[in-house]
Amino acid sequence: MFDKLLYIETFGCQMNVNDSERIVSMLADLGYAPTNEAAAADMILLNTCSVRGGAEEKVYRRLANLRIYKRDGKQQIIAVGGCVAQQEGEELLRKLPYLDLVIGTHNLHLLPDMVRCAERGERRSETSFIDNEQRLDLFPSIKGESRLSRFVTVMQGCDNFCSYCIVPYVRGREISRRSADILAEVRQLADEGVREVILLGQNVNSYGLKSADEPSFAGLIRQVAEVAGIERVRFTTSHPKDMSDELIACFADVPKLSGQIHLPAQSGSDAVLKLMGRGYTRDSYLDRVRKLKAIRPDLVFTGDIIVGFPGETDADFEQTLSLMEEVRYIDLFSFVYSPRPGTKAAELNDDLTKAVKMARLDRLMELQRRHTREICHTYVGSVMSVLVEGEGRLVGQVSGKADNGRIVNFTGDCSLIGTFVNVTITKAYPNSLLGELSN
Ligand code: 5AD
Ligand code: SF4
């Protein structure tokens, strides 16, 4: 029975998207139905990101806006979760008197209890990290409504401590979920009609490395792919240093494994990679890419790059552009370096001017636009297997995802939703493809 409304705004990565789905299903048990209207909600929750300064500032601006709703005389609960909550903790309650709840990244299981407290007017912050044994039993599964493609968390946290990154501090130590629990969840999702699972974690390819009882990530993929009803398996995100030959082999002999991989390089310069503490060189990264391409020539790559890392010279930056030329990413997420408090890189001399950083970002994005355009144009005339997921943007169209992750729109009936169909690509846009049903 729903008698209250919950409004959630999610910032940042897919971990947060996944956590927000969990929050919706947990609070449904307390009578909260999701709404898209903050003003109408009985509870507003911001699920926050602190990975870059800009992301964090956005959260503070949004929090300042929320004050208006509270002043409307409503008994609204205002809550902050995610990485800013973890980072700031109690301090947020002190700074923002209209805030009711602060919930850290390890504390989601406490949320129902905290919401009940807030309903009685109690303000509370819970941000302590809990130990790994206890966490294993607290990996919540997602109830929610059945869709065709769902995330399944396989690990959380990160032990890599790349010098620029705040994630290990706000998400805590790395822990792999039990494979038996993961498989049980995948089977349940398949029974509910899910056809594609996306195995999710900060560093999925280090799955199981620290536990003698669990399979490697490659082993896990093979087991997940065997679950009847699951037709496609994706994963995100992976670390190049843990891209084992065993995992690369899966791209050759696990047909259900998607034809797209997210493999963040961060930089193409050895000097910068060393300062970043990434644990691989330009050559070893490119070696992984070449092996993957040899084993599956149609595989598409996406990645992340940071420009303007402290000390990055023009020559270092040219190395990044040349790495992009070698890899030819289909999509690239590029960021200007943002110093994060408490990280090692924050102590380095951030000596580049903003103008230099922005000029580098512009050049990089221009190159990426060209690569995206050129790669997508090669698809015109080809036939792609598409999982139809919903209505398209235009009337009479349906939309789905190709094996390589591209969105494909084509004229077709809604009865196709939930099925795999062959589509001939007729036109390529930067973010999607247009096609015709070709069965
Ligand atoms: N500054 C800029 N970009 C960052 N990222 C992580 N930390 C920072 C930072 N301090 C980027 C990395 C990572 C992506 C999720 O965000 O490229 O892969
Ligand atoms: Fe951050 Fe590096 Fe861990 Fe990725 S691998 S979450 S960039 S510390």
Side-chain angles (χ1 to χ4, degrees):
M1 250 295 285
F2 293 123
D3 53 4
K4 285 164 279 193
L5 293 173
L6 166 69
Y7 172 81
I8 294 198
E9 222 167 279
T10 307
F11 299 80
C13 67
Q14 275 150 334
M15 286 286 166
N16 273 5
V17 174
N18 193 226
D19 282 347
S20 288
E21 290 181 1
R22 281 179 201 166
I23 291 169
V24 168
S25 75
M26 280 164 120
L27 293 192
D29 293 344
L30 297 190
Y32 285 86
T35 174
N36 291 327
E37 256 187 85
D42 298 281
M43 173 164 169
I44 296 180
L45 188 144
L46 299 192
N47 198 2
T48 63
C49 170
S50 62
V51 78
R52 285 171 296 278
E56 197 176 323
E57 282 151 25
K58 207 151 89 186
V59 168
Y60 279 107
R61 278 200 300 276
R62 194 66 188 114
L63 272 170
N65 289 341
L66 292 181
R67 200 175 7 191
I68 309 166
Y69 300 122
K70 198 84 172 187
R71 278 215 215 100
D72 267 358
K74 276 220 197 78
Q75 278 307 304
Q76 250 175 353
I77 299 172
I78 299 189
V80 178
C83 296
V84 176
Q86 184 63 46
Q87 198 178 284
E88 301 295 315
E90 201 102 24
E91 183 66 13
L92 272 177
L93 285 187
R94 222 179 41 73
K95 279 202 260 186
L96 307 172
Y98 51 93
L99 194 61
D100 299 289
L101 296 180
V102 175
I103 181 150
T105 55
H106 282 198
N107 306 93
L108 274 193
H109 60 288
L110 299 176
L111 188 62
D113 191 44
M114 291 174 75
V115 171
R116 276 191 213 100
C117 289
E119 285 170 345
R120 294 193 301 265
E122 239 175 86
R123 302 173 78 215
R124 209 168 135 191
S125 160
E126 296 287 349
T127 55
S128 42
F129 278 167
I130 54 179
D131 67 50
N132 274 355
E133 267 314 298
Q134 208 189 343
R135 273 172 90 197
L136 272 180
D137 293 317
L138 289 172
F139 264 101
S141 54
I142 303 163
K143 282 183 265 165
E145 38 184 286
S146 167
R147 279 180 277 129
L148 294 160
S149 171
R150 293 287 285 268
F151 289 118
V152 175
T153 302
V154 302
M155 54 84 67
Q156 285 183 333
C158 179
D159 287 350
N160 284 321
F161 290 92
C162 300
S163 65
Y164 52 81
C165 186
I166 201 157
V167 167
Y169 303 95
V170 290
R171 289 269 166 186
R173 294 289 57 74
E174 178 183 307
I175 180 176
S176 294
R177 194 178 175 196
R178 295 182 193 105
S179 55
D181 294 347
I182 296 170
L183 288 166
E185 185 170 328
V186 173
R187 280 189 207 105
Q188 193 197 325
L189 290 174
D191 286 348
E192 290 169 14
V194 169
R195 292 288 159 263
E196 173 185 86
V197 287
I198 307 162
L199 306 180
L200 185 65
Q202 224 74 53
N203 247 317
V204 285
N205 49 358
S206 66
Y207 176 85
L209 291 182
K210 289 174 182 147
S211 160
D213 305 329
E214 299 299 349
S216 63
F217 187 55
L220 182 70
I221 285 179
R222 287 174 194 277
Q223 290 179 27
V224 168
E226 272 168 23
V227 173
I230 296 299
E231 304 296 343
R232 219 186 246 161
V233 182
R234 301 179 184 281
F235 57 84
T236 195
T237 179
S238 31
H239 194 302
K241 82 172 165 49
D242 296 318
M243 195 72 217
S244 64
D245 286 342
E246 192 198 5
L247 181 52
I248 291 177
C250 288
F251 282 93
D253 52 26
V254 181
K256 289 181 185 175
L257 192 54
S258 135
Q260 176 255 332
I261 182 168
H262 188 68
L263 198 62
Q266 311 299 359
S267 169
S269 149
D270 279 341
V272 175
L273 286 171
K274 194 151 185 225
L275 280 176
M276 287 177 164
R278 290 289 288 172
Y280 55 85
T281 60
R282 172 196 175 86
D283 267 358
S284 60
Y285 179 88
L286 287 173
D287 171 69
R288 302 289 83 191
V289 169
R290 279 186 215 110
K291 278 213 165 97
L292 281 159
K293 283 184 174 173
I295 231 166
R296 185 132 169 207
D298 62 341
L299 189 65
V300 300
F301 291 80
T302 56
D304 297 342
I305 296 277
I306 297 176
V307 301
F309 191 79
E312 184 189 67
T313 61
D314 281 336
D316 291 324
F317 178 63
E318 293 300 329
Q319 289 274 295
T320 295
L321 297 180
S322 91
L323 179 117
M324 286 170 64
E325 292 283 8
E326 291 209 35
V327 179
R328 290 180 67 85
Y329 298 100
I330 193 163
D331 273 325
L332 188 67
F333 302 92
S334 46
F335 312 99
V336 169
Y337 168 68
S338 161
R340 304 282 61 217
T343 60
K344 256 185 160 169
E347 290 160 24
L348 298 171
N349 184 15
D350 186 11
D351 50 353
L352 295 164
T353 64
K354 195 166 176 205
V356 167
K357 291 178 185 173
M358 295 316 290
R360 285 182 187 168
L361 186 68
D362 279 352
R363 265 188 78 195
L364 183 145
M365 286 170 73
E366 180 57 39
L367 177 62
Q368 184 52 46
R369 276 193 290 273
R370 176 159 71 75
H371 286 165
T372 301
R373 200 171 48 236
E374 286 173 1
I375 296 170
C376 291
H377 270 105
T378 65
Y379 296 144
V380 175
S382 70
V383 177
M384 290 186 169
S385 169
V386 174
L387 171 58
V388 188
E389 293 189 48
E391 287 178 33
R393 267 201 287 165
L394 300 179
V395 179
Q397 272 187 348
V398 285
S399 176
K401 252 190 285 130
D403 183 49
N404 64 9
R406 297 320 272 181
I407 292 171
V408 181
N409 293 300
F410 61 98
T411 302
D413 194 85
C414 284
S415 62
L416 295 174
I417 294 171
T419 64
F420 283 85
V421 292
N422 286 331
V423 177
T424 305
I425 305 304
T426 54
K427 199 163 171 130
Y429 300 102
N431 297 316
S432 66
L433 300 168
L434 187 67
E436 280 167 7
L437 196 60
S438 74
N439 281 359

